Amino acid sequence: MQNSVSSRLAEATAPEVATAIYAPSLGSFDVAALDRMCALNEAHALMLAECGLIDRDTAASLLRGIARVREDGPDKIDLDPRFEDSYFAFENRLGEVAGKSLAGWLHIGRSRNDIGSTLDRMLARDWCSHLLGHLLAARSACLDAAERYADTVMPGYTHLQPAQPITFGYYLANVARGLEREYERLAAVYPRADACPLGSAAFAGTSFPIDRQLTAELLGFSRVATPGLDAVASRDFVTELLWAVTSCQVLLSRVAQDLYTFTTWEFGSFSFPDRVAGTSSIMPQKKNMLPLEYFRAEAGRSIGALAGALSSVKGSNYSIGLDSVREGLADSWPAFARFAEALPLLRLVFETIKPDADKLLARCSENFSTATDVADGLVREHGISFREAHHIIGRAVQMVIARGEDASGLTAAVVNAAADAEIGRTFDLSDDTLKSWTDPVSAVNSRNKQGGPAPASTRAMITEMKQRHASDTSELESHRDHLRLSAKKLSERTSAFTG
């Protein structure tokens, strides 16, 4: 039996080869993939006609055939893995609709190599746009929550130990800044994917006088990809997008770990509505924060996909090959899909999380998180160095803890006893003054410099980040408008040929 796609091969593809290599990629050929394939072929047919490489009637017949294939949908395409990939399956279907001899004219000046690279770049652009849209929504929800809780005082933590008072709004403003950077990384992939390889053929171009710029414009690309070998052999825009996704997933995992800790019974300082939780099949009291566990797991899966992709590609030749352009990247596309599903969940987390403001404020008053403010007070009011003040207050805290008390036991007498032991002097210090230094709200409000947690400076940062969010939204819409306009022009030119 002859091979399904080439007379060079005297035997049909072995079932084992077809099943292991070709079938998996064909299984993902859906309506969206067909639409990209049809658009690519429409653009190429129009270009061939414009360049006089096929006559107008041939182009019109091809375009009508492509329209029929699109209308019939992927279910009418024979995705037998012996066709090797979606392009040959598409060409076979076009041959059934328009005639095999006519369909063969469409392959002038190109190869599966530049077709595959162009389709991957179109898909990467779509994923960039889709993911950026979801990330914009999550950033907006985070900024709204940061503004909502800009006055909600809570302990800040280092090494998961109480450190200094901040606000929950300040914490979220920091998360929003991180998300802003992750957005930049994702957005940076778009222009690198936005170059059209079509016309590079196998890698060395073609001797036919094609117009690559026209094809690129019809498909909404901003430029032509050159040189040809790099254009067809490199998929670093995919691994870069996967890196950007993985970087964001790592951030989300860290934030999820914080919130997971804060929602435990032992911390009990944050909560979510029941619709954002799971339960137990045996323990009736359970309210499990499964969405937060999900983010931690997804980061690990994304890291695995990235490591697998880079490990596969690094051993390939700098040319076309399964490991460099398809098999090595197979786990990337599902990783993008999972990230797209995770981002609306992230938005929901920001929208529904609720801090226990009273408990958080009480914790700040109990857990010595204002100790730095007491040391600062000694420096300002009593003329000692900060290191001396640090030692004094550290000893005072140790004395209070040794008595089994919380921060309310930090009195002027205790501070003076510690000062006498550390530096051999005491201070004219009242309990009222000490109380003012240990007030968490005052501690937060005093940190009102640029970037600090005071509500005013936090809101100033939020305002600036919302302006950046608006700018990012506008830029994304500009990309989307360009693709919509290009698709409309392609449709209009196709209709003019077939009308």
Side-chain angles (χ1 to χ4, degrees):
M1 181 180 176
Q2 190 176 5
N3 188 272
S4 298
V5 296
S6 174
S7 297
R8 164 64 178 84
L9 304 178
E11 298 178 331
T13 301
E16 295 86 350
V17 173
T19 298
I21 298 177
Y22 302 135
S25 64
L26 285 166
S28 62
F29 192 70
D30 56 11
V31 172
L34 175 59
D35 187 65
R36 287 188 292 271
M37 180 73 79
C38 288
L40 181 150
N41 283 284
E42 287 167 342
H44 190 68
L46 287 168
M47 182 276 293
L48 292 177
E50 291 285 344
C51 294
L53 294 170
I54 58 176
D55 61 50
R56 188 179 182 89
D57 289 342
T58 298
S61 296
L62 285 170
L63 291 169
R64 281 192 287 268
I66 294 169
R68 170 73 183 281
V69 173
R70 177 188 275 115
E71 181 182 350
D72 289 346
D75 291 343
K76 291 293 184 69
I77 297 176
D78 184 0
L79 295 175
D80 188 327
R82 287 175 297 180
F83 285 125
E84 297 191 1
D85 60 26
S86 59
Y87 174 69
F88 275 137
F90 172 86
E91 187 181 75
N92 179 68
R93 176 58 180 157
L94 183 60
E96 293 173 349
V97 170
K100 291 191 180 300
S101 178
L102 184 71
W105 283 99
L106 193 56
H107 210 57
I108 292 174
R110 67 180 190 176
S111 160
R112 276 189 303 172
N113 294 0
D114 58 342
I115 292 172
S117 181
T118 303
L119 291 171
D120 282 349
R121 287 171 183 266
M122 293 170 72
L123 180 55
R125 284 189 319 191
D126 288 348
W127 271 122
C128 277
S129 177
H130 188 59
L131 295 175
L132 289 172
H134 279 308
L135 191 50
L136 280 171
R139 282 171 61 191
S140 180
C142 185
L143 288 167
D144 287 345
E147 196 165 39
R148 189 161 60 247
Y149 297 119
D151 296 294
T152 303
V153 175
M154 66 172 285
Y157 294 88
T158 61
H159 306 278
L160 203 54
Q161 298 294 331
Q164 291 178 282
I166 57 172
T167 70
F168 185 44
Y170 177 74
Y171 174 87
L172 290 174
N174 284 267
V175 175
R177 185 67 84 191
L179 291 174
E180 187 180 274
R181 289 195 302 276
E182 302 301 347
Y183 186 95
E184 290 173 359
R185 293 185 180 98
L186 280 166
V189 180
Y190 192 99
R192 284 191 272 279
D194 194 27
C196 185
L198 206 59
S200 299
F203 68 90
T206 176
S207 60
F208 289 102
I210 61 174
D211 185 347
R212 294 192 64 194
Q213 187 61 43
L214 175 59
T215 311
E217 290 174 0
L218 290 171
L219 292 174
F221 285 100
S222 63
R223 67 190 188 283
V224 170
T226 60
L229 172 58
D230 179 69
V232 302
S234 296
R235 296 295 191 278
D236 49 6
F237 55 92
V238 178
T239 51
E240 184 181 12
L241 183 58
L242 183 55
W243 150 245
V245 165
T246 303
S247 177
C248 192
Q249 292 276 37
V250 169
L251 170 64
L252 302 188
S253 179
R254 297 180 71 192
V255 174
Q257 178 59 27
D258 278 351
L259 302 184
Y260 192 76
T261 301
F262 297 156
T263 55
T264 60
W265 180 267
E266 286 72 18
F267 267 76
S269 48
F270 290 84
S271 63
F272 287 92
D274 289 351
R275 68 181 185 277
V276 191
T279 188
S280 166
S281 66
I282 185 174
M283 295 168 284
Q285 83 282 7
K286 293 298 295 293
K287 181 177 179 178
N288 299 327
M289 292 316 305
L290 302 184
L292 303 178
E293 296 175 344
Y294 174 85
F295 285 114
R296 294 186 310 187
E298 279 304 300
R301 296 183 71 182
S302 194
I303 290 168
L306 177 61
L310 295 177
S311 297
S312 297
V313 174
K314 66 93 182 172
S316 65
N317 297 104
Y318 193 44
S319 61
I320 199 80
L322 283 183
D323 45 355
S324 60
V325 305
R326 194 173 79 191
E327 293 301 317
L329 304 176
D331 293 334
S332 303
W333 311 108
F336 302 154
R338 292 196 305 273
F339 187 52
E341 293 169 353
L343 288 172
L345 181 60
L346 178 66
R347 174 189 51 76
L348 180 66
V349 165
F350 292 138
E351 289 175 345
T352 58
I353 190 168
K354 185 178 181 181
D356 187 330
D358 293 337
K359 182 178 287 188
L360 289 168
L361 182 60
R363 291 262 171 86
C364 290
S365 299
E366 298 165 353
N367 63 12
F368 301 97
S369 62
T370 56
T372 300
D373 297 89
V374 178
D376 289 346
L378 292 180
V379 172
R380 279 194 302 266
E381 301 296 331
H382 297 281
I384 63 172
S385 74
F386 181 80
R387 189 55 56 212
E388 288 174 317
H390 186 280
H391 289 325
I392 291 168
I393 301 307
R395 180 181 283 265
V397 168
Q398 184 186 61
M399 293 166 62
V400 172
I401 291 174
R403 296 204 307 242
E405 298 178 8
D406 61 25
S408 62
L410 189 63
T411 63
V414 171
V415 171
N416 274 324
D420 186 51
E422 287 289 333
I423 63 173
R425 59 167 288 195
T426 60
F427 311 108
D428 183 12
L429 177 65
S430 70
D431 284 332
D432 286 342
T433 297
L434 189 61
K435 186 176 181 181
S436 69
W437 291 349
T438 58
D439 176 48
V441 175
S442 297
V444 169
N445 289 334
S446 70
R447 286 166 170 77
N448 57 5
K449 302 300 185 290
Q450 188 176 9
S457 57
T458 295
R459 288 192 171 93
M461 289 185 286
I462 292 169
T463 297
E464 180 263 321
M465 283 189 274
K466 284 191 172 184
Q467 291 170 350
R468 178 61 183 273
H469 183 278
S471 174
D472 288 339
T473 301
S474 177
E475 184 177 17
L476 179 58
E477 278 307 305
S478 179
H479 285 314
R480 290 175 170 177
D481 287 343
H482 176 71
L483 290 180
R484 282 191 288 262
L485 181 60
S486 298
K488 181 182 178 183
K489 288 180 177 179
L490 177 60
S491 178
E492 289 172 348
R493 294 189 65 162
T494 300
S495 297
F497 256 83
T498 60

